Amino acid sequence: MVTTQKYVYFFGNSRTDGGADMKNLLGGKGANLAEMCRLGIAVPPGFTISTEACTRFTESGRDALTELIRAEVQQGVAFAEKEMGKQFGNAADPLLLSVRSGARASMPGMMDTILNLGLNDEAVLGLATKSNNERFAWDSYRRFIQMYGDVVMGLKPLSKEEHDPFEIIIDALKEKKGVRLDTDLDAQDLKELVHRFKALIRARLGCDFPNDPWEQLWGAIWAVFESWNNDRAQVYRELNDIPQSWGTAVNVQAMVFGNLGDHSATGVAFSRDAGTGEDLFNGEFLVNAQGEDVVAGIRTPQQVSLIGSRRWAELALVSEADRASHFPSLEELMPDIYAQLLHFETTLENHFKDMQDIEFTIQEGKLWMLQTRNGKRTGAAMVRIAMEMLKQGMIDEKAALQRVAPDRLDELLHPIFDPKALAAAQPIARGLPASPGAATGQIVFFADEAENWVKNGKAVILVRQETSPEDLRGMSVAKGILTARGGMTSHAAVVARGMGKCCVSGAGAVHVDMKARSMRIGSTDYAEGDWISLNGSTGEVYLGKIATKDAELSGDFGALMALTDKYKRLDIRANADSPEDAKVARGFGAAGIGLCRTEHMFFEGDRILAVREMILADNEAGRRQALTKLLPIQRGDFEGLFREMHGLPVIIRLLDPPLHEFLPHDDANQRLMANELRVPLAKIKLRVEELHEFNPMMGHRGCRLGISYPEITEMQTRAVLEAALNVRAEGSHVKAEIMVPLVGTVREYNAQAEVIRRTAAAVFAERGESIDYLLGTMIETPRGALIADSIATQAEFFSFGSNDLTQMTLGFSRDDAGKFLPDYIKRSIYEHDPFQTIDQKGVGLLVQMAVQKGRSARPDLEIGVCGEHGGDPASVAFFHRAGLDYVSCSPYRVPIARLSAAQAAIND
Ligand code: PEP
Ligand code: MG
């Protein structure tokens, strides 16, 4: 087939085809390499094979793709050869290549990288002569075989307890030689390693390591495309909502070397602190090393800047003298290179107007930039960087609001260690503060076991020597991660920050024995299952559980939240059932209570006894008697809510769940109840049986209860209005709204409205005073949505109960869908869990229709939503577009909803 489609894009000094705006086609890495070339930054030349080639590869396989791109790849290699003045496959002075993946969204550690490609038994000799460094040549070769053997040829550990088989060979040789570091191995040793590695490959795989550079190159290209579909890439995509269809690009680039001696180095750096957001250039590097060494966590990296180095030394308990002599910063060690790096970093941050995460290599005194991308960061860093860039005039208010992913605010809202509990805690080790937060859990040493423990309801801390992409699932379920090795840019640190998970890395005092399933610190052993706590903000590791305390809005976070108010149109209310919840919600900026589920109040203290007494009563008189006991308690509850909300609207919903939920279903508790209420056990059992329903969610609940037992509605109405009058008498404003649940017909609504109005009239007559209140309904049955115009002739407000509306529209039980929904999502039958993110096409259509119909009947109808979707960013954007007045969500999601609402308004 003749095709003119272009799959390969060059980048280099003399020619650059791509640019930063071509991420979809070239992947993030490829697009930014091209952009750096355009900015005049020194980048090793090469070419990018586009993501479209990956799609062709997935569709038609290796051979077809190879035919399609062969000529372009050959031209790409020729381009790199020309730029570098060397030839690929030349034995005397070989051009060596790196082959890396690069998807549209960065996927750290997900995809595989091959370095030093093009080396073989002849070229290694040429490289040794040309570089005048035999050790370097053989070290490059053994690294290449190791990476290629693992990634392309698939030589992996045989079991999870086994270390990397290549590393086992290295360790054995080091032990034989009596040396500790890889750098202590000489050229002869490395030659020996090459020999042993090749023998290992032959023995395990039954084939030879390929000597032909072109065979090596094609193998590597295919491996990158194949790695798009490997398990860990799929897990990462699942966790981060990256579509399978995007594919990855392949970047083939001339090698530069950080391991050519003491004037060479390699490192990674961030233009601002990825953990805290502080505007401080920071990073790590290793002298005489290749890139993988920095992230692999095998040697202790040094800090790029002097200030960073001093801070590191303080945390690592290294004295200034020791630091300066053994771990000097790049700023001290190579001041000219440092100045250049700082210049590149500033250029890049100013150009991309975002915090940059860069990789660099210094080859014999020349600085090369290998990568730049917008850096991953914690939620706290996201907020601080956005607000500081706003203050620095780099971005405007709208951009600052768009810079923070609403869901990531979660990390700032969750509890931190209670300072008192922390003061009493016993520190047992200290590592690097790799990802902030507080975590308490039981020690587990294997990622797959962490998953099982968590499935069984346990909180775990995953403890590893270092983590690898295979550990991703375990890391995502753990409360926190502790590693013995690795710096601030180790796999554990980078991934944990991306997940917003607490992580302490490189705690050197921790010795992990995976076989014994224990870790030793000093002379103490800690076993699997022991409790420890981590402070990811200080790097401290503590023994046992530590109590936590709530976070608060302040500083940049507070300023960001204040900014949301300037742009958002939606109000954000909270679902709160107690004054404590209401207080938290107010603290986070809630503009009212969108739902008080009164049934939650029924479970507290002795009140459940009165509720049960009411349920057991044989007639209305008996029920009224029990309700008389409940009235003052409910009134007190509502007074608390009204006081806390200082005149902001408070929606109180009438009793909703089926009554059987208030009775015990096991024999022991039924006996207890019989004793407490002094009624025969048989009576309780009979009542439980009578109340049994085959489908309780569609049974005797919602307004159906109030229609059968209007005395319950009467008591609740009385409690709301008496509380409102009482709190007003204290001098506070009160805005009460009474809400009828699960309405499907106008007559249902009217039946309840009649009871409420009648009771209100009675209360006001008794008190000789009245108070305004709104009377409205939930729209949570499909029929209710369909006839919203008729309902709106009666109801003064609507609140969508999107949980029930989803349940009934989809026909998915809220309580049982968990069994099959994961399969549905995996197979893209539904893109998201419809109980988390509103199903816009189905349920959303009902919402839009009900809004339109409702307002056609009553133009000033107040409309909100109080299902779980009220705190979900994508759903909030939908409700904004649908024209709602507010969303209501759990108190801890209020800031998330505020930001989502502002972003929705900006995107309008
Ligand atoms: C709903 O159905 O969305 C709702 C808020 O009510 P509940 O979750 O209490 O049924
Ligand atoms: Mg409901």
Side-chain angles (χ1 to χ4, degrees):
M1 192 178 76
V2 180
T3 174
T4 51
Q5 189 172 351
K6 180 176 168 70
Y7 289 103
V8 171
Y9 294 77
F10 299 177
F11 55 85
N13 203 12
S14 65
R15 168 180 163 187
T16 294
D17 300 340
D21 53 348
M22 291 168 72
K23 285 204 170 62
N24 294 358
L25 195 62
L26 303 181
K29 193 177 296 182
N32 281 359
L33 283 171
E35 191 73 10
M36 282 199 285
C37 290
R38 287 181 185 279
L39 291 171
I41 288 173
V43 171
F47 58 91
T48 303
I49 308 175
S50 75
T51 54
E52 284 174 353
C54 184
T55 311
R56 295 289 100 75
F57 178 86
T58 310
E59 283 164 7
S60 9
R62 285 183 182 189
D63 294 345
L65 174 82
T66 310
E67 276 318 301
L68 210 56
I69 64 174
R70 187 193 308 278
E72 282 187 273
V73 167
Q74 283 167 350
Q75 287 159 14
V77 171
F79 170 72
E81 287 177 335
K82 199 159 146 254
E83 288 254 323
M84 294 298 279
K86 289 172 191 268
Q87 269 184 321
F88 185 55
N90 180 314
D93 183 15
L95 170 70
L96 301 183
L97 299 173
S98 71
V99 179
R100 297 168 200 260
S101 63
R104 235 192 257 193
S106 98
M107 294 170 62
M110 290 303 98
M111 312 289 286
D112 301 307
T113 294
I114 309 291
L115 302 176
N116 307 338
L117 188 140
L119 274 178
N120 58 20
D121 292 347
E122 295 79 43
V124 69
L125 304 175
L127 186 65
T129 317
K130 197 75 197 165
S131 64
N132 201 17
N133 189 336
E134 199 185 6
R135 187 190 182 282
F136 153 71
W138 285 98
D139 192 38
S140 303
Y141 195 23
R142 73 93 190 163
R143 284 168 189 271
F144 172 46
I145 298 174
Q146 198 172 340
M147 269 187 258
Y148 199 92
D150 171 2
V151 173
V152 179
M153 304 183 82
L155 207 161
K156 307 268 182 200
L158 292 174
S159 72
K160 68 182 182 188
E161 277 91 6
E162 195 198 29
H163 277 301
D164 179 277
F166 294 104
E167 291 293 337
I168 293 174
I169 293 179
I170 298 176
D171 287 344
L173 189 69
K174 283 200 285 200
E175 201 173 311
K176 191 174 139 205
K177 295 250 319 176
V179 299
R180 205 169 58 80
L181 299 174
D182 289 4
T183 42
D184 294 332
L185 297 173
D186 63 22
Q188 275 313 314
D189 300 327
L190 295 164
K191 219 182 262 187
E192 175 62 24
L193 282 183
V194 164
H195 178 71
R196 291 194 193 180
F197 285 178
K198 286 184 157 193
L200 172 77
I201 288 173
R202 204 171 303 122
R204 280 255 186 117
L205 304 177
C207 63
D208 281 326
F209 184 79
N211 205 49
D212 173 18
W214 280 99
E215 187 184 340
Q216 295 170 357
L217 179 57
W218 284 109
I221 292 171
W222 296 331
V224 172
F225 284 148
E226 267 155 16
S227 74
W228 174 253
N229 291 311
N230 73 21
D231 184 50
R232 60 197 210 208
Q234 288 190 28
V235 172
Y236 189 87
R237 286 203 288 275
E238 256 169 51
L239 289 172
N240 292 279
D241 255 344
I242 296 174
Q244 168 77 15
S245 60
W246 282 3
T248 179
V250 182
N251 296 295
V252 179
Q253 199 175 7
M255 281 296 303
V256 289
F257 294 96
N259 54 344
L260 269 177
D262 289 344
H263 298 288
S264 300
T266 188
V268 294
F270 298 89
S271 62
R272 298 184 187 222
D273 190 310
T276 64
E278 185 182 357
D279 187 3
L280 183 76
F281 179 49
N282 65 99
E284 295 174 337
F285 74 103
L286 282 172
V287 174
N288 197 12
Q290 275 196 327
E292 300 307 297
D293 299 341
V294 183
V295 276
I298 292 160
R299 279 164 59 191
T300 302
Q302 288 154 249
Q303 302 298 306
V304 168
S305 70
L306 177 58
I307 170 167
S309 183
R310 292 210 163 119
R311 286 188 190 179
W312 164 84
E314 214 183 300
L315 282 173
L317 307 178
V318 171
S319 72
E320 172 59 16
D322 229 21
R323 184 203 68 76
S325 57
H326 292 110
F327 306 101
S329 65
L330 188 70
E331 193 172 352
E332 294 157 284
L333 205 60
M334 305 180 190
D336 294 349
I337 296 271
Y338 177 77
Q340 248 185 69
L341 188 65
L342 199 60
H343 172 66
F344 284 167
E345 168 269 320
T346 312
T347 307
L348 287 168
E349 186 179 280
N350 288 339
H351 181 70
F352 288 104
K353 298 194 187 325
D354 201 353
M355 185 264 269
Q356 294 299 295
D357 164 358
I358 58 179
E359 280 180 26
F360 61 92
T361 284
I362 301 156
Q363 176 173 321
E364 297 184 307
K366 176 167 170 61
L367 174 65
W368 294 92
M369 300 293 278
L370 302 186
Q371 171 163 199
T372 190
R373 58 185 170 194
N374 294 342
K376 291 199 176 299
R377 62 204 80 173
T378 61
M382 248 177 213
V383 172
R384 179 163 175 187
I385 291 173
M387 295 315 286
E388 288 192 351
M389 286 194 164
L390 171 66
K391 277 180 235 155
Q392 291 162 350
M394 289 177 75
I395 54 176
D396 63 14
E397 288 179 349
K398 288 183 180 176
L401 284 164
Q402 300 280 40
R403 279 294 162 81
V404 180
D407 267 331
R408 299 295 301 275
L409 292 180
D410 217 24
E411 294 161 37
L412 284 84
L413 298 171
H414 278 293
I416 49 175
F417 284 132
D418 177 48
K420 271 197 206 126
L422 197 61
Q426 182 195 340
I428 50 175
R430 195 174 199 185
L432 299 171
S435 182
T440 284
Q442 289 175 276
I443 298 175
V444 173
F445 293 100
F446 296 99
D448 55 344
E449 290 168 21
E451 281 186 77
N452 290 335
W453 284 47
V454 171
K455 266 187 207 135
N456 293 328
K458 295 185 174 165
V460 307
I461 303 281
L462 182 63
V463 179
R464 303 280 301 163
Q465 188 74 356
E466 62 227 44
T467 63
S468 76
E470 268 85 3
D471 298 328
L472 216 59
R473 276 187 215 268
M475 293 170 76
S476 77
V477 297
K479 292 278 180 223
I481 298 145
L482 169 64
T483 67
R485 282 185 184 167
M488 293 294 282
T489 47
S490 64
H491 178 266
V494 171
V495 172
R497 279 200 295 274
M499 289 177 173
K501 185 137 307 212
C502 168
C503 174
V504 173
S505 69
V510 173
H511 297 279
V512 179
D513 185 340
M514 292 201 285
K515 283 211 172 105
R517 290 168 188 265
S518 74
M519 71 171 182
R520 168 164 291 211
I521 300 173
S523 56
T524 312
D525 287 320
Y526 301 88
E528 184 174 85
D530 285 351
W531 284 84
I532 55 169
S533 298
L534 307 179
N535 186 341
S537 312
T538 62
E540 217 85 46
V541 183
Y542 298 93
L543 183 65
K545 292 187 198 180
I546 303 179
T548 53
K549 104 181 218 315
D550 288 340
E552 41 193 53
L553 287 194
S554 58
D556 289 325
F557 189 16
L560 178 80
M561 283 297 113
L563 206 53
T564 65
D565 294 335
K566 189 164 165 190
Y567 290 92
K568 73 181 171 48
R569 186 188 54 71
L570 282 172
D571 270 342
I572 312 301
R573 296 191 190 180
N575 294 355
D577 312 323
S578 67
E580 294 75 41
D581 285 356
K583 189 169 178 193
V584 174
R586 282 269 291 147
F588 287 146
I593 289 178
L595 173 65
C596 165
R597 291 179 167 101
T598 47
E599 60 270 18
H600 289 175
M601 298 166 156
F602 283 9
F603 283 98
E604 267 173 41
D606 300 344
R607 52 186 85 179
I608 188 67
L609 288 181
V611 175
R612 287 173 174 173
E613 200 179 313
M614 174 193 78
I615 295 172
L616 281 186
D618 297 318
N619 49 37
E620 189 185 323
R623 276 192 298 277
R624 282 191 182 278
Q625 201 182 350
L627 286 165
T628 313
K629 293 185 193 164
L630 276 174
L631 173 67
I633 306 175
Q634 280 257 277
R635 192 170 53 218
D637 290 334
F638 298 146
E639 284 168 358
L641 283 182
F642 291 140
R643 270 189 211 111
E644 200 58 63
M645 295 312 287
H646 299 282
L648 293 171
V650 175
I651 297 189
I652 289 161
R653 179 178 74 183
L654 301 178
L655 189 65
D656 181 59
L659 294 182
H660 75 86
E661 285 192 12
F662 299 100
L663 293 182
H665 288 80
D666 61 298
D667 189 65
N669 279 309
Q670 287 175 351
R671 282 175 193 278
L672 203 64
M673 175 177 162
N675 275 340
E676 281 172 339
L677 292 183
R678 297 204 178 84
V679 290
L681 179 63
K683 181 168 184 177
I684 295 174
K685 290 199 181 289
L686 181 68
R687 196 74 182 113
V688 167
E689 217 167 280
E690 282 168 356
L691 288 175
H692 171 79
E693 290 177 318
F694 287 99
N695 198 339
M697 281 289 101
M698 303 235 230
H700 200 179
R701 59 171 287 222
C703 62
R704 298 157 206 173
L705 286 174
I707 287 174
S708 301
Y709 310 116
E711 55 276 11
I712 300 178
T713 305
E714 273 177 36
M715 182 281 283
Q716 292 200 296
T717 304
R718 183 172 275 278
V720 171
L721 296 177
E722 288 181 352
L725 290 170
N726 293 349
V727 173
R728 188 179 65 178
E730 294 166 7
S732 271
H733 286 288
V734 178
K735 249 190 186 163
E737 305 186 26
I738 299 177
M739 179 157 75
V740 184
L742 220 72
V743 163
T745 82
V746 180
R747 286 185 187 169
E748 261 177 333
Y749 177 79
N750 282 343
Q752 285 292 281
E754 189 275 321
V755 177
I756 296 163
R757 299 260 184 238
R758 175 164 41 80
T759 309
V763 171
F764 297 156
E766 285 163 27
R767 299 281 294 244
E769 56 177 341
S770 67
I771 189 163
D772 288 338
Y773 66 96
L774 285 186
L775 179 50
T777 180
M778 296 197 68
I779 298 289
E780 54 182 342
T781 70
R783 195 177 193 281
L786 291 167
I787 59 152
D789 42 357
S790 324
I791 295 179
T793 60
Q794 308 297 310
E796 292 168 322
F797 68 86
F798 282 178
S799 176
F800 288 101
S802 52
N803 302 332
D804 273 310
L805 194 58
T806 298
Q807 164 166 267
M808 293 189 222
T809 304
L810 273 59
F812 286 0
S813 158
R814 286 163 71 168
D815 306 302
D816 302 313
K819 286 186 189 150
F820 58 85
L821 262 182
D823 287 341
Y824 266 51
I825 288 154
K826 209 176 240 162
R827 298 183 51 185
S828 298
I829 294 174
Y830 276 95
E831 251 174 70
H832 304 281
D833 177 344
F835 289 105
Q836 269 173 30
T837 299
I838 194 99
D839 156 42
Q840 294 190 19
K841 288 193 181 136
V843 180
L845 199 61
L846 283 174
V847 169
Q848 286 164 329
M849 199 181 73
V851 170
Q852 186 261 321
K853 277 176 175 274
R855 293 233 170 92
S856 72
R858 187 187 289 264
D860 63 347
L861 184 72
E862 175 190 282
I863 307 180
V865 58
C866 61
E868 295 317 299
H869 305 90
D872 168 68
S875 309
V876 172
F878 170 79
F879 295 128
H880 167 89
R881 292 193 300 273
L884 269 57
D885 296 305
Y886 69 87
V887 297
S888 187
C889 55
S890 73
Y892 282 98
R893 294 200 76 84
V894 166
I896 296 171
R898 285 173 75 186
L899 180 58
S900 306
Q903 292 182 347
I906 291 168
N907 289 334
D908 235 0

